Amino acid sequence: MQRATPQEFSRVLSSMCTEPHPDARAAAERFLATNPGDPGTYETIADIEHEVVAQLGEMVSLPEPAGYVTSGGSEANIQALRIARNRADTDEPNVVAPTSAHFSFHKAAGMLGLELRTAPLDDEYRANTTAMVELADEDTVAVVGVAGTTEHGRVDPIPEIAAIAEEVGALCHIDAAWGGFHLPFTDHEWDFADAPIDTMTIDPHKLGRAVVPAGGLLARSDELLDALAVETPYLESRSQATLTGTRSGAGVASARAALDALWPGGYRDQAERGQANADWLAAALEDRGCSVVDPELPLVAAEVPEKTFEALREMDWRISRTGNGALRVVCMPHVTRETLQAFVDDLDRQE
Ligand code: PLP
């Protein structure tokens, strides 16, 4: 069987995916040959997908959510902007987002003919909402906030961002692809109870411990998803709102199994462990004279010399950098304290 052994996985410090929960792995295998993209034929997996959407809705305080299990956060972000574009009445649609927004928004803008207006960040790497206000106008179809940024794990001021969207009559989309399974256990304001959000990305295949592919798109109402529907003459069902046609039943079933096993207690424990590990690593790096971005979520960004970074990669540590060249370590569930200790020991050997 070709798969990363737990030992190999433990040196992966850059990924936002992780080892799936054992129940998720087993469920994926059972549903390998199913296709939720054809719900009239594959009814069981279609029902399971509704349950996943309902469970995700519960996590983000959204009663009666609409949505589906996407191939990942990129598809969910693309689809959210597509909803916004399809509903809007303008020939020159634009989207306002912070520069920290994931590169999938750039793909979406290119595909959908949208102008992407990016606002700078504040000193704490969060969206500068004053700049966002200036960028938004009557042609703005969506205003985007990120709840758990890819580079620094920051949560944008979501209520302020939702207010900007309301002000210009645009949809508010929140990208919680990575942060969504951690944030319910924090004091951040980020979900549907905190602000008038329209759509959200939240990915079971990241901190949700499902197998890849299992992303999540949630929408406040069926009416929003209807903006994506096309007719499907040769299927048993009549219309489809997803981007891809045939989809992975394995991802859907695994998301359900992971949620059943871990929501909420297991995810809470995982969140506490990940945060404690991030705080520990941040302190260890600071002790060694590195400048560290305070880890608000379990992600540590720190400045280390280029030579050191390259040497650690040579030692087979799977690490990556932020756009500014800082070392970036994501404290995912497979990243243990022992692993981080071994990483710091290797770092010490370089100095
Ligand atoms: N949004 C955020 C905040 C992410 O961090 C990522 C990936 O890391 C994505 C979207 C894209 O997700 P995917 O790679 O599953 O398409």
Side-chain angles (χ1 to χ4, degrees), residues 209-221:
R209 305 278 308 276
V211 308
V212 178
L217 173 66
L218 293 179
R220 186 179 274 287
S221 67

Side-chain angles (χ1 to χ4, degrees), residues 3-12 316 318:
R3 70 175 178 89
T5 65
Q7 208 178 2
E8 281 163 343
F9 220 113
S10 74
R11 289 180 93 80
V12 176
D316 223 21
R318 303 290 97 202

Side-chain angles (χ1 to χ4, degrees), residues 127-274:
N128 176 334
T129 47
T130 310
M132 290 179 85
V133 169
E134 280 164 18
L135 291 173
D137 60 23
E138 69 277 6
D139 291 321
T140 302
V141 299
V143 182
V144 173
V146 189
T149 59
T150 313
E151 291 199 340
H152 295 104
R154 284 296 197 250
V155 181
D156 288 331
I158 304 301
E160 283 176 50
I161 287 174
I164 298 169
E166 262 195 335
E167 182 68 32
V168 293
L171 292 192
C172 174
H173 174 64
I174 301 306
D175 183 358
W178 177 69
F181 281 79
H182 180 93
L183 287 164
F185 313 106
T186 69
D187 294 335
H188 289 281
E189 290 186 307
W190 69 287
D191 75 7
F192 287 81
D194 298 315
I197 296 165
D198 295 293
T199 52
M200 178 180 281
T201 295
I202 174 166
D203 287 354
H205 75 196
K206 294 190 171 72
L207 282 166
R209 305 278 308 276
V211 308
V212 178
L217 173 66
L218 293 179
R220 186 179 274 287
S221 67
D222 286 331
E223 192 219 326
L224 288 172
L225 271 200
D226 286 348
L228 300 175
V230 296
E231 288 179 16
T232 54
Y234 75 90
L235 298 183
E236 288 188 52
S237 49
R238 285 203 316 278
S239 75
Q240 195 174 82
T242 55
L243 186 60
T244 55
T246 299
R247 294 186 291 127
S248 167
V252 171
S254 78
R256 172 74 214 270
L259 279 155
D260 278 352
L262 295 169
W263 172 257
Y267 290 128
R268 181 190 302 279
D269 292 347
Q270 168 182 299
E272 284 169 3
R273 254 193 329 271

